[in-house]
Amino acid sequence: YGLDLSVPLYQDRVWFKTELWTGRNLGDVRGGILQSINAAGKEIRSQGGFAEVGVKTCDHVNAYVGYAFDDPNNEDLALSNASRTSNTIWYAALRFDFKPLTFGLDYLRWETRYFGASDGTDNRLQAFISYAF
C-alpha cells in the first residue's frame, strides 16, 4: 500500500512531495532494504517513505533536500541471514536540465542499522550525466 502527496508551496517554484508505503516482499521495488523473503520462506514486511522539498532556482536548475527511510519488520528479519534492520537517508541534490542532457550532483548521508553489529554511516557525493532520447 502506498500514499503519495505533492503540494505546490509557492507558485510552481517551490513544492513539497512525500510518499509513505507499507507492504511485504518488496525487494524488487527497492523496499525492505532489498530483502524479500526470509530463511523460513516467509515474506519480509517493511514500511518506509520519503519527504522532500524542491525549489526551481532558475529556468534550468532545481534543488532538492529530503529524508527517506526503509524499515523492515525485525521479527521477519530474525528468521533470515539478513543483518540490515533499517536505512535512513538525508540528501541534497542539484539538477541542471538542458534537454536532452541532464546533469546532477547529489549528497547522501546513509545510516544503516544492523543486527549484532555497529551501525554504519556512509557519506556519498555523486555526479551524473543523463541523455534522454
Side-chain angles (χ1 to χ4, degrees), residues 31-51:
I33 315 177
L34 301 178
Q35 301 167 115
S36 296
I37 60 171
N38 61 25
K42 302 220 179 207
E43 296 172 326
I44 295 173
R45 296 167 289 173
S46 190
Q47 54 280 324
F50 76 91

Side-chain angles (χ1 to χ4, degrees), residues 94-113:
L94 285 173
R95 298 289 180 269
F96 304 90
D97 191 5
F98 298 96
K99 293 200 182 338
L101 288 177
T102 299
F103 303 87
L105 184 63
D106 302 332
Y107 167 74
L108 303 100
R109 179 178 174 85
W110 286 72
E111 296 177 359
T112 303
R113 298 202 189 323

Side-chain angles (χ1 to χ4, degrees), residues 49-102:
F50 76 91
E52 174 181 273
V53 174
V55 177
K56 185 173 192 68
T57 61
C58 63
D59 285 342
H60 298 286
V61 181
N62 291 335
Y64 306 87
V65 295
Y67 172 80
F69 71 99
D70 189 349
D71 189 16
N73 185 301
N74 289 355
E75 292 174 8
D76 296 344
L77 296 175
L79 298 172
S80 73
N81 59 2
S83 63
R84 293 174 292 160
T85 61
S86 73
N87 276 347
T88 58
I89 306 162
W90 291 96
Y91 62 90
L94 285 173
R95 298 289 180 269
F96 304 90
D97 191 5
F98 298 96
K99 293 200 182 338
L101 288 177
T102 299

